[in-house]
Amino acid sequence: AIVPRPTSSAMAPPSSAMVGAFAAVFYGVVAVAMGFINKAVMSVYGLEESNFLLLSQMLCTVAVLFFLRGAGRMQFAPISLAQAKKLLPVAILYNANVAFALASLAKVSVPTYNTLKRLTPAVVLAANTALRLRPDPSKEVVACIVVVVLGCLIAGYGDLEFDPRGYVMGLTSCALQASYLLVVERTGAERGMTSIEIMVYNAMLSSPPLFLVVLATGELGSGIERLSAMSGDVGFVSVFVLALLAGMLLNYALFLCTLTNSALTTTVVGVLKGVVSTALGFFLLGGVDPSVTHVMGILTNTVGGVAYSCVTYSEKQAKRRMKVKNSDLDLAGSEGK
């Protein structure tokens, strides 16, 4: 008689599903805080130079990570020319996405900004389907995404303060974010780079072209002038430092979530954090007047997001169980010979 051996899963480290869930939650929490911190810097304290703020965040990321490497707390290899060529599209897309997002956030309210950004899942899903970058998602997953997007549209219809430039910048950022997530998923996960490596390489590649943009638009001079004028304001200095650190954490959280999950999962997490920040946005930093339609849209969006999480987790667990079962059958077959 063949005595079945215990499967390796009994003594395995935390599953990929658990790691992916942690990365998704971490990204969501940091992203919610980041939106309000950036909004406070630009709207409450009047630092309207969004590209200057982004450049400051990139330079802070590079400085902190190289300091940690020099102190022996972190390791990452110097970027090679080949890696730079491969990751340059990622850096450009990331830079453009965040730049347009910050510019949009500076002109519209947090709920309106989130409403525009929630259209990203549809773009990712359409790109995956059209370009065959990944296997087609299940009908249940597609249905959840449809509900999420429908909720976004309802919420937006019920509470939008029209600002043409803010809308155009927000929608442009939405398309760029979808492209960025797909490129990161393929260039990062498939080539074996860690999230730290991608983060520092992206910041290094992003800083020079962003510096030229800031210099050409005049934001460099005006940004430095504003910093000097408000350097005595403890509140501004505190929020600005938080914005620099939160920017680095958001970079890490986004890369980690994308590498441990699919691009679609990262996008939906972004949608869910948008729901939370929208609810908080009704009361923080001036707030907005809610409407019944807007609240209905948020609830619809939340239901779709929760359903998506449940469906994808169930599918991932089912695949793991099938893999373990097939492994056991192969093992039993080899021992029976």
Side-chain angles (χ1 to χ4, degrees):
I2 300 175
V3 180
R5 295 182 179 176
T7 61
S8 59
S9 60
M11 301 180 62
S15 65
S16 59
M18 293 178 61
V19 174
F22 169 79
V25 171
F26 178 57
Y27 166 52
V29 171
V30 174
V32 169
M34 182 68 177
F36 286 100
I37 292 172
N38 281 333
K39 182 68 174 176
V41 170
M42 293 184 293
S43 298
V44 176
Y45 291 102
L47 184 64
E48 299 178 353
E49 292 81 2
S50 56
N51 289 322
F52 176 79
L53 176 60
L54 177 58
L55 176 61
S56 301
Q57 292 172 343
M58 292 291 98
L59 294 177
C60 178
T61 297
V62 173
V64 170
L65 292 181
F66 271 91
F67 173 79
L68 291 176
R69 189 179 74 166
R73 310 297 297 180
M74 176 182 300
Q75 291 186 356
F76 55 86
I79 187 172
S80 65
L81 181 59
Q83 288 174 321
K85 291 180 178 179
K86 292 177 182 179
L87 290 177
L88 184 58
V90 173
I92 292 175
L93 288 173
Y94 174 83
N95 236 2
N97 164 40
V98 180
F100 277 99
L102 286 175
S104 177
L105 184 60
K107 294 185 176 297
V108 300
S109 67
V110 172
T112 300
Y113 167 79
N114 290 332
T115 299
L116 296 172
K117 293 292 288 182
R118 288 186 195 120
L119 297 177
T120 305
V123 181
V124 174
L125 183 62
N128 274 329
T129 302
L131 302 177
R132 299 294 179 182
L133 299 176
R134 300 175 59 87
D136 291 336
S138 65
K139 293 180 180 179
E140 291 79 7
V141 170
V142 174
C144 293
I145 297 300
V146 170
V147 173
V148 168
V149 175
L150 179 62
C152 296
L153 295 176
I154 295 174
Y157 177 80
D159 192 48
L160 287 179
E161 299 175 359
F162 186 73
D163 184 314
R165 291 188 62 187
Y167 284 28
V168 171
M169 292 177 180
L171 293 173
T172 303
S173 173
C174 175
L176 288 168
Q177 182 182 8
S179 303
Y180 158 76
L181 290 171
L182 293 170
V183 173
V184 166
E185 181 181 348
R186 297 182 66 82
T187 60
E190 293 183 359
R191 292 170 188 165
M193 295 183 189
T194 67
S195 55
I196 294 293
E197 288 173 338
I198 296 181
M199 179 170 62
V200 68
Y201 297 163
N202 175 76
M204 291 171 61
L205 293 171
S206 297
S207 297
L210 184 58
F211 175 78
L212 295 178
V213 171
V214 172
L215 186 63
T217 57
E219 290 190 25
L220 181 62
S222 59
I224 294 176
E225 184 178 345
R226 286 181 186 272
L227 287 181
S228 301
M230 303 184 69
S231 60
D233 189 328
V234 177
F236 169 75
V237 173
S238 300
V239 174
F240 184 74
V241 171
L242 282 176
L244 298 184
L245 297 178
M248 181 180 60
L249 281 178
L250 182 61
N251 291 342
Y252 175 73
L254 179 55
F255 286 130
L256 182 64
C257 187
T258 304
L259 291 173
T260 55
N261 297 286
S262 68
L264 191 58
T265 297
T266 304
T267 303
V268 172
V269 171
V271 170
L272 293 179
K273 69 88 182 174
V275 173
V276 175
S277 60
T278 295
L280 295 175
F282 289 142
F283 311 101
L284 301 179
L285 301 181
V288 295
D289 294 327
S291 66
V292 174
T293 305
H294 196 67
V295 173
M296 287 178 58
I298 291 176
L299 292 176
T300 302
N301 178 277
T302 303
V303 170
V306 172
Y308 171 84
S309 299
C310 294
V311 169
T312 52
Y313 181 80
S314 298
E315 291 181 354
K316 188 175 292 187
Q317 290 297 97
K319 289 180 180 179
R320 289 190 65 217
R321 288 194 295 267
M322 182 62 67
K323 185 177 181 179
V324 171
K325 181 179 179 180
N326 291 337
S327 177
D328 289 344
L329 291 175
D330 292 341
L331 179 61
S334 64
E335 291 185 351
K337 293 182 179 179

